[in-house]
Amino acid sequence: AMVAGVFGGRALESQGRKSCLVACSVIFAVGFGFMSRATTLPVLLAARLITGIAAGLCTVAAPVYVGEIAPKKLRGALGTFFQLSVTVGILVAYFVGASQGWRQLAQWGAGMAMASGLAAMQLLPESPTWLMSEGKKGDAGGVLQKLAATEQEARDEAASLSAVGGG
């Protein structure tokens, strides 16, 4: 997880926030899929390594994405919500794991990863900050129009992104 976290920033810059979130889901699903079918310790450890890579990438990608798409007045609360979600997820996994075997828990993990990846592909816009950094001002403006409460708020945010070198 630590290594993926270190290199995750490069992936965020080159591939985009949304793509990295989708990649997290795919990597998690693969890791949990292998984990649920592991019959030897090396396979189980390899699967744990794969899910660790996904966790490291997600730990970088999700807060950056949330910070870049959230309205200014909600950024702090939504950033805290990410950490709370991780903690609640661990608690839920603990309780589910108490009633099911580790293979079933891994299958749940794979299913949740696939569902979140599909949802991310279909529902989430790309980060307007990343779009601006890639010179896609029109696309960034369209995303800001969808995310902002008012047209003026969208224009202000676009101007702010341009002022800090985002395009």
Side-chain angles (χ1 to χ4, degrees):
M2 184 174 69
V3 173
V6 170
F7 293 105
R10 286 187 180 187
L12 286 174
E13 292 303 316
S14 65
Q15 303 303 310
R17 283 61 160 149
K18 179 179 175 177
S19 296
C20 284
L21 289 172
V22 172
C24 288
S25 297
V26 170
I27 297 167
F28 267 128
V30 168
F32 283 128
F34 279 122
M35 197 180 297
S36 71
R37 290 170 179 75
T39 57
T40 65
L41 183 60
V43 173
L44 181 61
L45 293 176
R48 293 280 306 186
L49 178 66
I50 292 168
T51 58
I53 290 168
L57 181 58
C58 187
T59 301
V60 173
V64 169
Y65 180 79
V66 168
E68 290 179 354
I69 67 160
K72 287 181 184 181
K73 62 184 176 185
L74 295 177
R75 285 182 187 152
L78 291 176
T80 302
F81 182 74
F82 167 74
Q83 190 59 48
L84 179 63
S85 297
V86 169
T87 305
V88 169
I90 292 168
L91 181 64
V92 169
Y94 174 78
F95 284 114
V96 171
S99 65
Q100 297 186 17
W102 62 270
R103 289 185 193 279
Q104 289 79 22
L105 192 59
Q107 289 168 347
W108 273 99
M112 294 297 288
M114 288 187 289
S116 67
L118 288 172
M121 285 190 308
Q122 298 299 316
L123 302 174
L124 299 179
E126 181 54 81
S127 160
T129 304
W130 185 77
L131 290 168
M132 291 285 270
S133 74
E134 294 293 304
K136 300 177 180 180
K137 292 181 183 181
D139 292 341
V143 171
L144 288 170
Q145 291 286 333
K146 291 178 186 173
L147 295 174
T150 65
E151 194 167 317
Q152 183 60 45
E153 188 179 305
R155 282 195 301 270
D156 291 346
E157 187 68 20
S160 174
L161 290 175
S162 291
V164 295

